[in-house]
Amino acid sequence: MTAASSTHPALRIRKAAVLGAGVMGAQIAAHLTNAGVETVLFDLPAKEGPKSGIALKAIANLAKLSPAPLADKNLAAAIIPANYDEDMAHLKDVDLVIEAIAERMDWKLDLYKKIAPHLSKTAILASNTSGLSINGLAEALPEEMRHRFTGVHFFNPPRYMHLIELIPTKLTDPAVIAGLEAFLVTTVGKGVVIAKDTPNFIGNRIGVFSMLSAMYHTDQFKLGFDTVDALTGPALGRPKSATYRTADVVGLDTMAHVIKTMADTLPDDPWHQYFKAPAWLQGLIDQGALGQKTGAGFYKKAGKDIVVLDPAAKEYRASEQKPSDEVAAILAIKDPAEKFGKLRASSDPQAQFLWASFRDLFHYTAFHLADIADTARDVDFAIRWGYGWKLGPFETWQAAGWQQIAGWINEDIAAGKAMSKAPLPAWVTDGRKGVHGKDGSYSASANADKPRSQHPVYKRQLFPDPLIGEKFDQGTTVWENDGVRLWTLGGDGVGILSFKTKMNTVNDFVLDGVQHAIKLAEEKLKAVVIWQTGEPFSAGADLKGALGLLKEGKIADFEKMVENFQRTSMAIKYSLVPVVSAVRGMAFGGGCEFQMHSARTVAALESYIGLVEAGVGLLPAGGGLHELAVRAAKVNPGDPFEELKKVFETVAMAKVSASAFEAKQLGLLRDSDVVVFNAYELLYVAKQVASALAESGYRPPLPARAIPVAGDVGTATFKASLANLQAGYFASEHDVDIATRIADTLCGGVIERGSTVDEEWLLALERKHFVELAQTEKTQARIAHTMTTGKPLRN
């Protein structure tokens, strides 16, 4: 099955336009550009200077934002700045228009009238509104355009948030929605949820209610904002920004606007009385303290410290972000049913706060399921992907024992403790064990369980994001040891090699396992994909084992381990069947070296790749420096030094790429390596690439026996640049020692410039320097410090 035939006739989108160069518009344009879509960014004509000044300024600003909207800074130059006075001609060959201007119906409608005459007969128009009625917006369009109009709601920041809500109108052509879904999932790399046209759709309807409920109960139980954040962050499987820090990041004015939209558009909601900004939120807005963008909100920085607002005293105090001992102990309980039971029974106000917040969230979500979403699955994915929760509200409820929780909610409604007297819908208490099961997820509007979407694009996700209780085919084990599992899926002859260690680190079992698995693959399989069942790809060598050998003075054993590491990389490189690395998340140190020696790497866009050994006082010795020297010699056999200059800094400064594109610029991925935007499609694409290599008669490279090197002259040149760093106190003496050894290995050691060496010579140099560095006191201190704190030590 080829990629083309496996999707719906996907929309072939060559060129797009984004209307509105504000925060969201500019970042949507950036991410479409990341995805290889030529994009025009429109805004109003500027009053002075160049007419497209507003769009130009927004594009320039993309480089300053963190996290970076562009996966490669150079892509900014590909975005076309435009204005509505001079550039409407751009619209005639655009396939997709995304409108992202301010949330005002009248402004949006005026803009649609203005652009309609310039669009082609097949262009799709979509609004990125976060809450206005899509059907209402469609009414302004000419009749023939209405079937090509839809809502497409990105979450902020668009590059990193997985969720896109796709909101069809009554008239949207189903083929348009299907084609757009395939494009958004594969090309843009998103998780698409089809939402109904109700205010704030699914994600913000439930997500904002959850925040409002937390704010209401903050008052009820008289808790500090920092305490609530300690309770509603990672302790619940939610982002560090929790509740109030999230509001600061979003902007308190934006938050208040969203709350007001709920109040204005949901007059009949049984929780309507709570749709208002709490007094202290309004107070901050009135003072112009709008959160992060103004430097103060619920929190602000005081020197190096973070201080938090005390609403009673109306001043900031030191932030002490931690739960009470009793609640911390309850939150540590593994069994969700026991945990919820204890929260409800406890008299600790923090426990009461948590139970009340969950109760009202469950109550609200169940009450509105029928009118806001097709299934419970859509609600859970919208909250997971749009708000970064590990489990959605329905999954949390189901894990905690569906009927028990339902009974408690009913008791609290009867006792007048719940925020609303609205009854739980009848389906909640019909004896079910939850809303997700083997037949799919519950649809309240259809009163039936519905399976996952049958859209062909999802055939590319061999292991989709699983809901609670969902199991996917785990394939057939070919062979395993304590370090790795070699298995197949779907009988296509492509082996999948997965590590079994924590963080997929590399230890002796992994090294021996990879070598054995490759031997087996050469006998029985046509290709191998190294793919991990979860992120990261690999955090690198297991330092604990290495430090143990050094502490016991077992230098010979330590050297053997390094040799075994190199042997593993060589086994990958010279395997008779193609080995493809499928990378997502971190690929550090040895993980980076394994993918460098693969026949091909298929990397998810969000891959953070680096040879980070210098940070722990070592140098890459799993073949990484040897491979960089070999590649430099291939590009420029006459003088490899020019190529080495590009990679020396990457390794000596332990640089990590902020995207797969950046890894190509740093020389850690090759131009021929493939970048995939949707991490859930990574295994599918890697298997296709491995199969194609095998089918095309793959042979490993011939061993390189005459590699031209830069020699001692090259090393001396690198050393001169290091002297300046040390003189300016940018590098310690030990940093310079490490960097000099990196240079010596890359340049082939103390031999004349232009001499040729073989691979074994370069590997021996790597080993020599690695083992010598490992025995120094300063390197051992760095390793120990990193292992205990997770942070590098500068000594």
Side-chain angles (χ1 to χ4, degrees):
M1 182 168 69
T2 63
S5 71
S6 71
T7 59
H8 223 270
L11 291 173
R12 299 291 177 208
I13 292 183
R14 186 182 298 281
K15 189 173 178 183
V18 176
L19 313 178
V23 178
M24 283 302 277
Q27 293 196 57
I28 291 169
H31 193 58
L32 289 172
T33 306
N34 288 337
V37 178
E38 186 184 16
T39 303
V40 190
L41 180 60
F42 276 90
D43 210 307
L44 298 166
K47 302 258 194 296
E48 47 208 43
K51 269 272 170 91
S52 296
I54 298 176
L56 279 162
K57 196 170 162 194
I59 294 166
N61 191 46
L62 289 170
K64 299 181 194 137
L65 295 176
S66 173
L70 290 164
D72 167 358
K73 285 191 189 55
N74 302 320
L75 287 170
I79 304 173
I80 304 163
N83 67 82
Y84 303 119
D85 277 7
E86 303 170 324
D87 300 312
M88 296 300 247
H90 268 302
L91 292 173
K92 71 178 186 305
D93 53 355
V94 156
D95 306 305
L96 172 66
V97 178
I98 297 176
E99 167 271 308
I101 67 166
E103 291 285 85
R104 276 192 45 183
M105 193 75 118
D106 52 343
W107 291 358
K108 290 183 193 280
L109 300 182
D110 282 348
L111 184 56
Y112 297 169
K113 288 194 185 101
K114 194 177 199 166
I115 62 164
H118 301 276
L119 294 174
S120 76
K121 293 277 173 275
T122 55
I124 291 169
L125 175 61
S127 175
N128 181 56
T129 178
S130 57
L132 295 176
S133 163
I134 303 295
N135 283 292
L137 290 169
E139 282 163 18
L141 293 170
E143 197 72 36
E144 72 278 3
M145 274 184 69
R146 291 182 191 176
H147 65 283
R148 289 180 280 120
F149 176 74
T150 181
V152 52
H153 180 218
F154 283 79
F155 273 59
N156 191 17
R159 171 180 157 190
Y160 301 93
M161 295 312 281
H162 191 58
L163 179 65
I164 284 187
E165 291 175 317
L166 200 49
I167 311 100
T169 69
K170 296 194 275 280
L171 302 170
T172 314
D173 179 349
V176 165
I177 293 296
L180 201 51
E181 185 169 4
F183 167 76
L184 292 170
V185 169
T186 293
T187 307
V188 189
K190 297 299 172 194
V192 171
V193 167
I194 309 279
K196 296 185 180 185
D197 186 16
T198 52
N200 288 2
F201 312 126
I202 303 172
N204 284 339
R205 179 75 177 270
I206 301 300
V208 173
F209 176 81
S210 173
M211 290 180 78
L212 278 173
S213 151
M215 288 178 171
Y216 170 73
H217 290 303
T218 301
D219 264 357
Q220 295 305 104
F221 296 101
K222 313 253 178 299
L223 300 179
F225 300 137
D226 50 344
T227 303
V228 170
D229 277 357
L231 294 170
T232 57
L236 297 184
R238 297 182 192 173
K240 282 207 293 281
S241 55
T243 302
Y244 292 102
R245 202 175 292 279
T246 296
D248 273 354
V249 172
V250 168
L252 304 191
D253 49 344
T254 308
M255 187 77 200
H257 174 77
V258 176
I259 297 169
K260 185 177 181 320
T261 305
M262 286 177 83
D264 294 349
T265 53
L266 296 165
D268 302 326
D269 191 303
W271 284 261
H272 185 266
Q273 68 188 86
Y274 304 101
F275 299 166
K276 57 178 191 287
W280 27 260
L281 176 59
Q282 199 50 56
L284 284 167
I285 294 168
D286 296 343
Q287 289 166 34
L290 306 180
Q292 202 169 299
K293 58 188 167 189
T294 59
F298 291 110
Y299 295 91
K300 70 173 185 183
K301 257 187 136 164
K304 280 192 178 160
D305 301 322
I306 302 282
V307 291
V308 64
L309 181 69
D310 181 332
K314 293 196 167 51
E315 55 190 339
Y316 289 88
R317 58 165 173 79
S319 167
E320 315 147 6
Q321 223 173 329
K322 63 186 230 291
S324 70
D325 293 346
E326 182 184 336
V327 170
I330 296 174
L331 290 176
I333 296 170
K334 287 277 182 283
D335 172 24
E338 187 190 340
K339 185 187 312 195
F340 271 88
K342 292 226 159 113
L343 284 175
R344 186 165 188 261
S346 167
S347 55
D348 184 313
Q350 295 184 15
Q352 293 287 303
F353 162 85
L354 281 171
W355 162 250
S357 301
F358 272 114
R359 172 199 64 215
D360 292 317
L361 171 65
F362 295 158
H363 185 187
Y364 189 81
T365 310
F367 185 88
H368 286 298
L369 175 58
D371 41 282
I372 64 170
D374 185 36
T375 67
R377 182 190 308 109
D378 297 329
V379 173
D380 281 341
F381 279 150
I383 292 295
R384 274 217 230 155
W385 296 342
Y387 278 75
W389 295 13
K390 280 207 175 67
L391 290 178
F394 284 128
E395 289 179 289
T396 307
W397 181 351
Q398 184 167 326
W402 186 270
Q403 289 304 336
Q404 170 174 283
I405 296 279
W408 289 341
I409 296 172
N410 271 329
E411 281 174 31
D412 281 10
I413 295 171
K417 290 181 180 172
M419 285 168 77
S420 164
K421 293 191 178 69
L424 275 176
W427 60 264
V428 171
T429 49
D430 63 5
R432 64 177 54 251
K433 290 200 170 79
V435 287
H436 304 300
K438 59 180 191 318
D439 299 324
S441 296
Y442 184 67
S443 166
S445 49
N447 190 25
D449 289 336
K450 291 192 177 181
R452 279 179 175 259
S453 166
Q454 295 303 298
H455 192 308
V457 75
Y458 298 112
K459 295 209 169 55
R460 299 168 58 87
Q461 300 189 10
L462 304 178
F463 291 91
D465 196 354
L467 284 159
I468 185 169
E470 258 188 320
K471 294 277 186 284
F472 302 109
D473 178 5
Q474 299 301 304
T476 309
T477 302
V478 177
W479 175 83
E480 63 186 319
N481 70 353
D482 285 346
V484 306
R485 173 182 180 231
L486 176 65
W487 51 291
T488 55
L489 189 68
D492 55 5
V494 177
I496 301 164
L497 188 58
S498 306
F499 299 175
K500 293 156 77 169
T501 47
K502 192 179 173 191
M503 300 281 285
N504 301 318
T505 51
V506 181
N507 61 15
D508 291 339
F509 294 116
V510 171
L511 296 172
D512 296 342
V514 171
Q515 292 174 51
H516 186 71
I518 287 173
K519 278 199 194 81
L520 279 177
E522 289 176 336
E523 293 165 24
K524 300 182 177 177
L525 299 165
K526 68 177 185 185
V528 172
V529 171
I530 303 177
W531 177 80
Q532 314 297 12
T533 54
E535 288 188 24
F537 177 71
S538 172
D542 172 15
L543 291 173
K544 202 162 131 199
L547 194 60
L549 290 174
L550 292 171
K551 288 262 186 281
E552 290 166 33
K554 295 183 176 167
I555 302 306
D557 289 351
F558 180 75
E559 189 159 0
K560 274 201 196 100
M561 187 189 82
V562 181
E563 216 168 332
N564 200 21
F565 221 118
Q566 294 181 331
R567 236 193 333 272
T568 309
S569 291
M570 293 301 107
I572 291 171
K573 181 171 183 172
Y574 290 112
S575 163
L576 290 170
V577 295
V579 178
V580 171
S581 285
V583 174
R584 54 184 166 166
M586 295 182 294
F588 291 170
C592 175
E593 289 172 304
F594 286 170
Q595 67 80 25
M596 287 173 74
H597 287 86
S598 305
R600 195 76 91 252
T601 296
V602 177
L605 178 72
E606 301 308 334
S607 292
Y608 312 115
I609 301 175
L611 292 168
V612 296
E613 286 82 353
V616 289
L618 292 165
L619 51 73
L625 295 178
H626 132 278
E627 182 62 19
L628 290 170
V630 171
R631 287 183 191 181
K634 261 200 195 122
V635 176
N636 194 342
D639 181 15
F641 185 75
E642 279 312 301
E643 282 306 304
L644 291 173
K645 266 193 346 206
K646 296 178 193 167
V647 291
F648 170 69
E649 193 180 309
T650 300
V651 185
M653 294 178 70
K655 283 188 180 174
V656 174
S657 74
S659 72
F661 291 160
E662 205 173 288
K664 288 191 175 191
Q665 288 174 352
L666 294 175
L668 301 171
L669 285 179
R670 296 155 290 204
D671 284 343
S672 59
D673 290 333
V674 179
V675 179
V676 171
F677 271 62
N678 194 321
Y680 295 106
E681 294 186 352
L682 183 67
L683 181 58
Y684 172 86
V685 176
K687 286 182 76 176
Q688 297 280 338
V689 168
S691 261
L693 285 170
E695 297 298 336
S696 57
Y698 176 81
R699 291 291 300 173
L702 289 166
R705 296 216 159 76
I707 305 157
V709 291
D712 46 12
V713 179
T715 308
T717 314
F718 281 134
K719 261 188 101 162
S721 66
L722 291 169
N724 298 335
L725 281 176
Q726 196 179 351
Y729 299 108
F730 292 111
S732 70
E733 196 177 327
H734 196 50
D735 290 331
V736 171
D737 182 28
I738 298 161
T740 305
R741 290 169 184 270
I742 289 169
D744 184 67
T745 310
L746 286 171
C747 296
V750 188
I751 47 175
E752 277 187 40
R753 185 176 205 154
S755 307
T756 61
V757 301
D758 62 8
E759 291 188 74
E760 191 37 62
W761 172 277
L762 292 168
L763 291 169
L765 267 174
E766 262 188 11
R767 279 199 306 278
K768 167 181 156 313
H769 285 307
F770 187 87
V771 173
E772 285 174 6
L773 275 173
Q775 293 176 71
T776 64
E777 202 181 307
K778 287 195 164 164
T779 285
Q780 291 189 16
R782 285 190 183 193
I783 295 174
H785 183 82
T786 302
M787 276 169 54
T788 47
T789 66
K791 295 187 170 69
L793 169 72
R794 294 299 302 277
N795 57 1

